[in-house]
Amino acid sequence: IWASVKTAPVGANLIATISIKGGAVVGTVTITAGSTNASTTSFTTSALTAGMILQANITQVGSGTAGDSLSLVLEVTQP
């Protein structure tokens, strides 16, 4: 999961989770306060099958200035 924002979060991290719609969280990405991008390779792909709908939930945006204009990129490859 790659994440970027135009405005960096200030005072606290920006945290986004990716989940199967109506189901389990399969990944989380954290953009640290003062940064504009982050990535993670910790992603549970075994729970995914073709056609599943994923949703992103922003659980924290910063405490002083909120991170703004979040973009997420998710790459999953089949073995």
Side-chain angles (χ1 to χ4, degrees):
I1 305 171
W2 291 276
S4 65
V5 290
K6 288 185 180 178
T7 303
V10 175
N13 300 335
L14 183 147
I15 302 171
T17 60
I18 308 298
S19 59
I20 298 167
K21 186 169 183 169
V25 171
V26 293
T28 300
V29 63
T30 301
I31 300 176
T32 56
S35 297
T36 57
N37 57 57
S39 64
T40 183
T41 56
S42 179
F43 191 80
T44 307
T45 57
S46 61
L48 300 178
T49 59
M52 282 187 158
I53 297 173
L54 301 177
Q55 63 186 28
N57 296 303
I58 302 165
T59 58
Q60 185 172 297
V61 295
S63 60
T65 300
D68 183 84
S69 301
L70 174 65
S71 295
L72 296 170
V73 176
L74 171 66
E75 180 180 350
V76 178
T77 57
Q78 283 187 302

